[in-house]
């Protein structure tokens, strides 16, 4: 047998993804996900949007990326410099949009500006008509009612929304999986008491609690995250609880107990991997709900502090300025596209973990002893 044939056989027996060795069943799920073209394209587009927003300061900023002045290099996008560093008279931070500072820099050097020379809080005082002004060569999506660039605020707002949704979904999922595992595995009075507590807590009026808490605390990213976490952790409890209730009486769990395995080992090593499969498919939809929730709170004025870039604030400006349709259209299409991408990703992820759906994965799927009894070693 040739070396090439042996190498190909090893690749089939030990498939890899991004350089890491994975199980055959994982390879089959990845193949199922890739078979869903709409979900795969949605994943790529979402990653592009997320990466662009992560580097928002290098794309939309009122500070130059690089300045060369009098033979020295400066990086205003990363560091603050006084006006005196460029030959000015004041020790305060240099205003790079000031024509006087621009003339000082151009006299002895040059400056490289971002693609969008506005930050989310920058007011364009050079508008040729009252704000909100329509799209132009300077402000590609126009300005809001305070003269701030809409595209810059959209980029920063998308970053806040995505990071808020990812953080809330991740923490809530960990708490929900832990609570559901405790309920489902121990059952009995533990499950009964937990269920009654969850039923009472889920019946609390969430919006009214937010209004009350907003009167005591200054709204902020972490404050909102903590308040939302008080309710969002319950979204996955039912799914994980059902999986643990089903698995606690299966033969392999009973065998582990008979061998003297402690409960924590059985829960986290034997039962939890099976329960996680069911919860992963819910994560994109939970992320969609988290982003929508933050947008709704910002629209009502109960979210981030005034002036913060957010999608909800953009929706509110579109509602308040019907004579400026670019505000409403920008808010609608940005939200619709972002949420649609997450929904498409969720559908593809659900199909990837569905055992009833298979793709022609070649020897990878056929060599899986978990899903193919004929492949088990006698």
């Amino acid at each position: 047998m040739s070396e090439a044939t042996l190498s190909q056989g090893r690749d089939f027996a030990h498939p890899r993804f991004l350089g890491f060795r994975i199980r055959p069943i994982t390879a089959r799920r990845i193949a199922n996900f890739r078979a869903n073209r709409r979900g795969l394209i949605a994943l790529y587009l979402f990653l592009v949007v997320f990466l662009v927003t992560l580097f928002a300061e290098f794309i939309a900023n009122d500070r130059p990326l690089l300045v060369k002045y009098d033979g020295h290099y400066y990086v205003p996008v990363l560091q603050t410099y006084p006006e005196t560093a460029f030959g000015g008279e004041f020790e305060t931070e240099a205003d790079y949009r000031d024509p006087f500072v621009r003339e000082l820099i151009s006299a002895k050097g040059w400056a490289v500006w971002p693609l969008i020379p506005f930050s989310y809080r920058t007011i364009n005082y050079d508008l040729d008509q009252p704000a909100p002004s329509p799209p132009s060569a300077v402000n590609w999506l126009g300005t809001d009612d305070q003269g701030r660039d809409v595209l810059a605020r959209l980029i920063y707002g998308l970053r806040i929304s995505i990071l808020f949704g990812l953080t809330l979904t991740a923490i809530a999922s960990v708490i929900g999986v832990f609570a559901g595992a405790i309920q489902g595995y121990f059952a009995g009075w533990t499950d009964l008491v937990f269920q009654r507590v969850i039923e009472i807590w889920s019946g609390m009026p969430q919006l009214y609690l937010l209004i009350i808490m907003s009167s005591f605390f200054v709204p902020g990213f972490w404050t909102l995250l903590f308040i939302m976490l008080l309710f969002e952790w319950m979204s996955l409890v039912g799914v994980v609880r059902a999986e643990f209730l089903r698995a606690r009486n299966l033969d392999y769990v009973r065998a582990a107990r008979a061998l003297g395995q402690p409960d924590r080992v059985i829960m986290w090593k034997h039962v939890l991997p099976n329960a996680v499969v069911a919860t992963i498919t819910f994560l994109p939809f939970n992320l969609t709900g988290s982003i929508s929730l933050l947008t709704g709170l910002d629209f009502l004025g109960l979210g981030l502090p005034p002036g913060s870039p957010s999608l909800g604030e953009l929706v509110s400006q579109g509602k308040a300025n019907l004579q400026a349709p670019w505000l409403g259209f920008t808010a609608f299409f940005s939200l619709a596209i972002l949420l649609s991408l997450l929904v498409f990703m969720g559908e593809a992820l659900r199909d990837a973990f569905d055992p009833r759906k298979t793709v022609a994965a070649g020897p990878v799927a056929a060599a899986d002893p978990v899903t193919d009894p004929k492949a088990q070693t006698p």
Side-chain angles (χ1 to χ4, degrees):
M1 186 179 293
S2 65
E3 184 66 24
T5 305
L6 290 174
S7 177
Q8 185 178 9
R10 285 194 297 266
D11 292 340
F12 288 151
H14 303 288
R16 292 179 177 272
F17 180 71
L18 298 180
F20 297 96
R21 183 175 296 179
I22 59 177
R23 297 175 56 195
I25 189 173
T26 305
R28 191 199 69 181
R29 290 167 178 167
I30 295 175
N32 284 339
F33 185 88
R34 287 176 171 174
N36 191 320
R37 302 296 299 175
R38 184 174 62 182
L40 185 63
I41 294 174
L43 174 62
Y44 290 152
L45 293 177
F46 176 78
L47 290 178
V48 169
V49 172
F50 186 41
L51 291 176
V52 168
T53 59
L54 283 180
F55 298 95
E57 283 80 6
F58 296 91
I59 299 174
N61 208 325
D62 55 2
R63 297 179 178 185
L65 300 176
L66 181 66
V67 172
K68 182 181 180 182
Y69 179 80
D70 199 14
H72 297 83
Y73 290 93
Y74 302 88
V75 190
V77 71
L78 299 177
Q79 188 174 350
T80 301
Y81 300 100
E83 186 179 302
T84 54
F86 306 106
E89 301 176 356
F90 300 101
E91 294 288 344
T92 57
E93 179 182 356
D95 181 7
Y96 300 95
R97 294 189 56 82
D98 187 349
F100 175 71
V101 176
R102 290 196 174 192
E103 290 178 1
L104 291 176
I105 295 176
S106 60
K108 294 185 179 181
W110 43 263
V112 178
W113 285 84
L115 184 64
I116 305 172
F118 301 96
S119 181
Y120 68 90
R121 61 179 180 272
T122 306
I123 299 177
N124 188 358
Y125 293 101
D126 300 325
L127 297 175
D128 54 0
Q129 53 184 296
S133 62
S136 63
V138 178
N139 304 106
W140 297 348
L141 293 180
T143 64
D144 61 7
D145 55 4
Q146 299 184 33
R148 299 170 300 191
D149 187 76
V150 173
L151 181 56
R153 293 185 64 81
L154 176 62
I155 295 175
Y156 283 89
L158 284 172
R159 181 174 67 177
I160 291 179
S161 298
I162 295 175
L163 290 178
F164 182 89
L166 289 174
T167 307
L168 179 59
T169 301
I171 300 178
S173 299
V174 171
I175 298 175
V177 168
F178 179 80
I182 297 295
Q183 284 186 245
Y185 183 79
F186 293 102
W189 280 101
T190 302
D191 183 36
L192 183 64
V193 172
F194 263 93
Q195 278 299 102
R196 300 294 82 78
V197 171
I198 290 177
E199 289 175 1
I200 295 173
W201 189 247
S202 61
M204 300 288 287
Q206 184 176 353
L207 182 59
Y208 291 121
L209 288 177
L210 283 171
I211 296 175
I212 294 173
M213 292 183 178
S214 298
S215 63
F216 290 98
F217 305 101
V218 177
F221 184 92
W222 297 109
T223 306
L224 283 176
L225 185 66
F226 173 75
I227 297 175
M228 294 296 98
L229 198 58
L230 296 177
F231 299 94
E232 290 299 313
W233 65 272
M234 295 180 288
S235 60
L236 292 178
V237 171
V239 178
V240 180
R241 170 179 172 268
E243 289 293 326
F244 270 78
L245 283 173
R246 180 187 63 85
R248 67 188 299 268
N249 294 320
L250 295 180
D251 292 338
Y252 74 93
V253 176
R254 292 181 178 180
R257 287 174 181 161
L259 292 173
Q261 292 287 338
D263 290 334
R264 66 177 184 275
V265 175
I266 298 175
M267 291 173 62
W268 309 120
K269 186 176 181 180
H270 300 292
V271 183
L272 183 61
N274 296 324
V276 167
V277 171
T279 60
I280 287 177
T281 58
F282 285 89
L283 295 184
F285 301 104
N286 290 349
L287 178 58
T288 301
S290 300
I291 294 176
S292 301
L293 181 60
L294 178 64
T295 302
L297 293 176
D298 288 334
F299 176 76
L300 296 175
L302 302 174
L304 298 173
S308 301
S310 68
L311 300 180
E313 191 265 349
L314 189 59
V315 174
S316 178
Q317 289 218 23
K319 175 179 175 293
N321 300 276
L322 297 179
Q323 78 281 3
W326 55 89
L327 295 176
F329 286 143
T330 301
F332 170 77
F333 285 111
S334 59
L335 271 174
I337 293 174
L338 177 61
L339 299 182
S340 297
L341 293 178
L342 293 175
V343 170
F344 294 155
M345 290 166 51
E347 292 176 349
L349 197 61
R350 180 189 60 195
D351 294 342
F353 283 87
D354 189 349
R356 297 168 297 181
K357 290 183 177 292
T358 58
V359 296
V364 172
D368 185 6
V370 178
T371 58
D372 189 359
K374 297 181 181 180
Q376 295 180 357
T377 303

